[in-house]
Amino acid sequence: MHNIHFLAHGWRARRDAGFDREGVVAVAAALGVVWGTICEGAAIVVGYDTRFDSREDARLVAGLLASCGLEVRVSTSACPAPVLEWSVARDDSCVGGVYVSGGDYSSDYGGLMACGPDGGSPDKAFVQDVDKLIATCPSEELGPFAWVDLVDDYVGALLGEVDAGAIADLAPRVVVDSMYGTAHFVVPALLRRLGCDVIEIRAQDGSDFGGIHPEPVDPWVDACERSVRQNGADLGISFGATCRRLALVDASGRMVSTHVLPPMVLGHLVEGRGRAGRVVGTLACSARLGRQAQRLGLDCTSVPVGFSRLYDEMSDGDVLLAAEEYGGLAFPWHLAERDAILEALYILELAATSRMSVAQLVERIASQIGRMSYGREDIGLDIAKVQSFRNILPGLNPHAMAGLTPIAVSHADGLKVSFEDDSWALLRPSRTHPLVRAYAEAPTLEGKDNLLTAAEKIVRDGLAGEAAG
């Protein structure tokens, strides 16, 4: 068996480097033992995505969990991750769930992700206990489980979250791009019930995602952009494989920057729906999120990158919106996890109640909080050099970058350097890949590019100094 570690997000691996039956059995058995020991007889919900053998893997996982004295229910169809997590959170008898999925990675990957009783991240002690047990020799004894529909109740709840009448009056023509993933099982029917004219693309068998990465970013959103133009649609929405994230396309077939969506949705929650609370984002989120929070009179907290950090903040109970740097949004009163389906409904509701097109909404946000250019580059290094850079990071304190003088330097999550005009640069050694991630944002494209160049120079110069020393 390959070396397997169960982390905060669960376990994920390439099919040619560890994700196989033996690995699935080992992880599922460890999950079953821990849950069965803590909460014997409690319920667990199992869901799965559209890739390859996910359904059969879910069946195997369910049987192994059931053999540990747990009451196990398995989704009758592939389903988005938020559907599984919402189902767990709304059932007091459930202590957690398992989602068989490789996330938004290509079909070369598989994985098992776990959630806690609130549908959010499992606690650290649980993760550590599972990780310790994986190395043991698990039994392959299988127990009985039940197949259940998870979609209907979730859809009913979402219909009550938005102004269905306003959306029906607008009756927008929407391209729904399922990217061969799980959105197909929920979104098109949901939007039709809301009166939308839906054109669905990439909804066929998604066992290999048609050779694409089911991630709602360029270039994988190109098909949605073309379909919007060809069908004269009002907007298009591409959903990642698990429906944690989305990409929004305007009527001209142009993808909206991922970093515009959090402040856009935040404005609607406050000004359109009368909600209030604290905003939480990662240190790699666009400065536009903080600007919008300030404009709306809300507190905004920045935390290190990683959804588990956002989850910890949400547990305080005062958070209105939690945003990750890749655009995933969590609405704590609904679910302590990201849900791109509810996000899409709020965007449609905003368009309907404002009677503005997506392009007009984007321009309105720009007029309210200004424009910024955001970029990220991955600096490939070997593992030893990544560790060397991690070691020297605490001592780095640049006095200037790209001709700008810092107003703040933080080592809370790598190295973040901030400037007077809301420009910033961040360097973070990856925890899972042999690279250092460089992020930068500035009011202009040139300014952003200059900061990325300066950030890479810090990495190269730092490593050169380390070698010389």
Side-chain angles (χ1 to χ4, degrees):
M1 183 172 69
H2 288 78
N3 189 23
I4 294 175
H5 285 292
F6 194 83
L7 306 175
H9 66 272
W11 167 59
R12 181 169 54 229
R14 285 182 60 92
R15 294 178 183 277
D16 59 1
F19 188 81
D20 53 22
R21 179 185 172 87
E22 187 179 15
V24 170
V25 169
V27 174
L31 285 165
V33 169
V34 175
W35 267 320
T37 301
I38 299 172
C39 326
E40 184 178 359
I44 302 291
V45 182
V46 178
Y48 53 95
D49 68 9
T50 58
R51 72 190 71 206
F52 288 118
D53 297 326
S54 287
R55 183 179 174 88
E56 289 308 309
D57 287 334
R59 187 193 298 268
L60 175 60
V61 168
L64 290 162
L65 295 174
S67 72
C68 296
L70 297 162
E71 178 193 335
V72 183
R73 307 160 191 165
V74 187
S75 176
T76 52
S77 67
C79 68
V83 171
L84 167 79
E85 291 149 354
W86 185 89
S87 300
V88 170
R90 291 305 182 276
D91 188 337
D92 291 339
S93 70
C94 282
V95 294
V98 180
Y99 191 54
V100 181
S101 171
D104 289 352
Y105 284 70
S106 72
S107 61
D108 296 327
Y109 286 81
L112 302 184
M113 305 177 192
C115 69
D118 62 355
S121 305
D123 65 49
K124 294 181 178 65
F126 176 87
V127 169
Q128 291 169 356
D129 288 344
V130 172
D131 189 55
K132 290 174 185 175
L133 284 175
I134 290 174
T136 64
C137 296
S139 164
E140 289 201 32
E141 179 184 352
L142 304 180
F145 56 87
W147 295 93
V148 297
D149 174 78
L150 301 180
V151 171
D152 283 353
D153 287 345
Y154 169 84
V155 167
L158 260 59
L159 288 170
E161 278 288 339
V162 292
D163 186 340
I167 296 174
D169 287 344
L170 182 66
R173 171 169 274 202
V174 184
V175 172
V176 174
D177 177 13
S178 296
M179 302 188 86
Y180 305 107
T182 57
H184 166 69
F185 296 88
V186 177
V187 179
L190 171 59
L191 296 192
R192 289 187 179 109
R193 288 180 65 177
L194 288 167
C196 299
D197 178 9
V198 176
I199 300 157
E200 190 177 10
I201 65 171
R202 297 198 283 192
Q204 301 94 326
D205 176 19
S207 60
D208 66 351
F209 301 112
I212 70 168
H213 285 213
E215 185 178 7
V217 297
D218 283 330
W220 312 117
V221 179
D222 289 354
C224 185
E225 295 170 338
R226 287 194 301 271
S227 183
V228 168
R229 292 191 296 268
Q230 291 167 358
N231 291 283
D234 297 300
L235 69 153
I237 310 173
S238 290
F239 291 89
T242 62
C243 292
R244 293 205 198 280
R245 300 174 183 138
L246 62 77
L248 180 65
V249 176
D250 69 19
S252 71
R254 180 175 53 194
M255 179 178 160
V256 175
S257 168
T258 302
H259 306 287
V260 170
L261 300 184
M264 180 187 292
V265 173
L266 177 60
H268 177 57
L269 292 176
V270 176
E271 297 173 322
R273 299 187 62 83
R275 287 190 173 272
R278 185 163 56 99
V279 180
V280 183
T282 69
L283 287 167
C285 278
S286 169
R288 283 165 283 193
L289 180 64
R291 285 180 176 179
Q292 179 73 312
Q294 183 178 32
R295 187 185 77 82
L296 297 168
L298 306 177
D299 291 334
C300 187
T301 304
S302 293
V303 298
V305 171
F307 188 79
S308 61
R309 270 61 178 263
L310 296 173
Y311 174 79
D312 290 342
E313 291 292 328
M314 285 189 285
S315 65
D316 288 345
D318 64 339
V319 174
L320 169 64
L321 182 72
E324 62 173 7
E325 66 278 10
Y326 300 115
L329 300 181
F331 310 96
W333 65 90
H334 162 70
L335 181 64
E337 247 295 359
R338 295 149 290 180
D339 190 341
I341 302 175
L342 181 55
E343 178 185 353
L345 294 190
Y346 283 142
I347 291 170
L348 286 170
E349 182 183 53
L350 171 59
T353 54
S354 67
R355 290 289 166 172
M356 297 176 73
S357 69
V358 170
Q360 289 170 329
L361 290 170
V362 172
E363 284 303 310
R364 184 172 73 173
I365 283 289
S367 69
Q368 291 171 337
I369 61 174
R371 302 179 190 275
M372 297 290 281
S373 179
Y374 185 105
R376 191 192 94 182
E377 290 185 3
D378 292 341
I379 304 168
L381 302 169
D382 62 47
I383 294 176
K385 287 185 177 179
V386 172
Q387 184 56 50
S388 294
F389 185 69
R390 185 178 285 109
N391 292 340
I392 66 174
L393 261 176
L396 294 178
N397 186 24
H399 299 292
M401 282 185 71
L404 300 175
T405 302
I407 60 170
V409 177
S410 169
H411 294 90
D413 188 18
L415 170 69
K416 184 171 184 178
V417 186
S418 303
F419 307 95
E420 188 71 42
D421 61 354
D422 282 343
S423 297
W424 56 272
L426 172 65
L427 286 166
R428 293 184 60 253
S430 172
R431 301 184 186 93
T432 55
H433 301 285
L435 53 85
V436 173
R437 300 194 193 282
Y439 308 78
E441 188 175 35
T444 65
L445 176 65
E446 180 183 15
K448 177 262 294 180
D449 289 341
N450 289 341
L451 283 172
L452 285 175
T453 299
E456 182 172 0
K457 187 174 187 299
I458 288 176
V459 176
R460 305 296 181 191
D461 289 352
L463 290 172
E466 175 78 357

